[in-house]
Amino acid sequence: YLDCDRFKEINDTWGHDTGDLFLQMLATRLESSVRDGDIVARLGGDEFVIVLTGIHSERQVEKIANRILLATQEPWVIEDRTIPFSTSIGIALYPASASEAEQLLSNADKALYQAKKTGRNRFFFFDPI
């Protein structure tokens, strides 16, 4: 589960057209950060879900999450303006975190909240404890 940090500020400062363009650019960066066969989907607003397939270890997930964070930290230039930006990521693993899709998303959302709570611009694995 990926959420844009402070996306409302982009819309409020530069307008919704810039915000929409920004989300399109973000989707492109996300798609280029994952592997062939992985899924990047926008849920709505500034929330995305990324489904990684064929994962065999947390280390593989960490590697991709770090690649996503690096890609989203690179300068964002829209209409000759540099826009500061970062994302936060919540990670839930199947079947360790949940075996049902709805619960898996809910747990990833809980992990996302922890990532934001601990400083944003990071990822956090769901911990049932």
Side-chain angles (χ1 to χ4, degrees), residues 36-79:
D36 288 341
D38 293 336
I39 299 166
V40 174
R42 181 174 168 222
L43 287 181
D46 63 338
E47 298 176 330
F48 289 79
V49 170
I50 301 167
V51 179
L52 305 177
T53 59
I55 294 294
H56 302 291
S57 71
E58 281 188 19
R59 180 70 186 124
Q60 286 177 291
V61 177
E62 288 176 7
K63 197 173 179 180
I64 294 169
N66 278 318
R67 196 166 46 222
I68 290 168
L69 290 176
L70 287 172
T72 58
Q73 291 171 8
E74 290 181 20
W76 293 85
V77 179
I78 300 175
E79 299 173 3

